Amino acid sequence: MPPWGAALALLLAALALLCLLALRLRRPGRRAVGARTLPGARREDHGEEVDGGGPAGQFSDGREPLPGGCRLICKPSALAQCLLRALRRSAALEPGPRPWLSGPHLQTLCHFVLPVGPGSELAREYLQLADDGLVALDWVVGPVARGRRATNAGGLPAVLLVIPNAWGRLTRNVLGLCLLALERGYYPVIFHRRGHHGCPLVSPRLQPFGDPSDLKEAITYIRFRHPAAPLFAVSEGSGSALLLSYLGECGSSSYVTGAACISPVLRCREWFEAGLPWPYERGFLLHQKVALSRYATALEDTVDTRKLFRSRSLREFEETLFCHTKSFPISWDTYWDHNDPLRDVDEAAVPVLCVCSADDPVCGPPNHVLPTELFHSNPYFFLLLSRHGGHCGFLRQEPLPAWSHEVTLEYFRALTDFFRTEERMKGLSRRRASFLAGRRRWATLPKREVSPSSSLEEIFSWKRSYTR
């Protein structure tokens, strides 16, 4: 790994380039002669007309209005109504950002480039996997605020698993979410992949984009440590591919109670092939190259490191690292057959909330990058679409946390209340059915007359069945 001064210089250079691009893109564009804008409409950076409810187009159907110009896109259900009531009462959606802070590039830059800052206390655990690889779990243990309240009626804190982006950078929003969750009574833990954020790479194998095998072992370990605590999961940006792959592969066997994805990348292959705006592409690519430079010697026997570090795009980097290997090369199509996060989405049996913004400069316009049919047809998936927020930004006035943090925790609270109410109603139904069955049995038995000549087979008509 290069010295921290060199890495800081690279990050500052990327910041300067991104700031110049942000200032350039925020200049008001020229309108054609005679063009008219509807009252109350707003011109977004991508050129679409946006009304008070969000971008036009295929999102005009099935949306539910919420405070702050947000929209909830989902299939109608009892859980959707419960979530809608919770979001309508949410104070996090009310206050909008300052005018100078509403720009998508500025919100994205503040999230990715600004330092995390001190104040958090992390307890790291290294988990050895079945193939002798290592992943890291950072348990957020402090600072603990006074009056910390539990997240369920039993007083046992729920575990909140946080999955950072696929590049391995621990952002200020991820840590801010953990600190807010700790204050609200959760027990947050951050999952770091092999070779990410100081986790040693003990074998020349990295985790592919959507391979949840390492995450499965980590969740099994967390479940072993906290067997009675509810488990919630949150992913950020490109890290959502890992969480969605896990939920799809595990289905109803998942240990997760509820999940949330902040600015998820859902059409991952198209996202890689289309490419990002060049400052973001160069910034993310540079961060990956710097992170893997310390393992260049160890990776020489697996991949062509010379070609890897000369990659000019994220697709070329990903393809060289996982497809053009020396031991078992595969095609680009085969790679995405095994790593597309939506490959098993129909098997997911856990409610998932996706928080997205219409001005996301990294993912692109929602009409092209969000699979709307998924949210309209699958009752487990909910899309909260806002007009502003950038990519994983959703910032508000300091020192308030990002409003996506508040909404995520309120969503988990609504899930907990909904499931508790459902269990209570099922318990009442079972007790009522048992009570009515008892009344019928005691009401009918005395009226039945059995002649002395009746045999036991005539009285008891059931037959025993044996199972292995």
Side-chain angles (χ1 to χ4, degrees), residues 125-127 129 133-137 191-194 199 214 218:
E125 279 188 303
Y126 291 106
L127 180 63
L129 305 175
L134 286 182
V135 295
L137 297 176
F191 171 79
H192 296 290
R193 311 184 194 206
R194 307 174 184 224
C199 179
D214 293 354

Side-chain angles (χ1 to χ4, degrees), residues 150-224:
T151 52
N152 55 19
L156 189 65
V159 178
L160 180 65
L161 176 64
V162 182
I163 303 174
N165 54 69
W167 324 131
R169 174 169 172 76
L170 183 62
T171 60
R172 57 187 290 116
N173 271 12
V174 165
L175 196 57
L177 172 61
C178 292
L179 294 178
L180 181 63
L182 186 67
E183 180 183 343
R184 298 291 175 85
Y186 292 84
Y187 196 8
V189 56
I190 306 173
F191 171 79
H192 296 290
R193 311 184 194 206
R194 307 174 184 224
H196 285 187
H197 200 66
C199 179
L201 186 64
V202 297
S203 62
R205 179 183 180 274
L206 294 170
Q207 188 173 9
F209 198 78
D211 180 12
S213 56
D214 293 354
L215 183 62
K216 287 181 182 178
E217 296 190 48
I219 290 179
T220 303
Y221 170 73
I222 294 173
R223 185 67 174 178
F224 172 77

Side-chain angles (χ1 to χ4, degrees), residues 42 88 105 150 189 196 297 370:
R42 188 175 182 87
R88 282 174 175 169
H105 299 282
V189 56
H196 285 187
T297 304
L370 294 179

Side-chain angles (χ1 to χ4, degrees), residues 331-413:
S331 65
W332 183 248
D333 295 336
T334 304
Y335 176 74
W336 285 111
D337 287 342
H338 295 87
N339 289 275
D340 188 347
L342 301 182
R343 61 189 182 275
D344 297 318
V345 69
D346 292 336
E347 301 296 328
V350 172
V352 181
L353 175 67
C354 296
V355 183
C356 303
S357 65
D359 61 356
D360 191 326
V362 175
C363 293
N367 287 345
H368 300 103
V369 300
L370 294 179
T372 55
E373 65 279 358
L374 171 64
F375 301 98
H376 286 300
S377 60
N378 195 316
Y380 289 103
F381 282 81
F382 306 88
L383 173 62
L384 181 62
L385 183 65
S386 67
R387 291 185 298 176
H388 304 289
H391 184 71
C392 302
F394 305 103
L395 302 179
R396 296 187 294 178
Q397 301 177 5
E398 293 289 347
L400 295 175
W403 64 262
S404 58
H405 301 171
E406 296 274 0
V407 168
T408 299
L409 297 183
E410 290 174 358
Y411 159 69
F412 290 148
R413 182 67 180 179

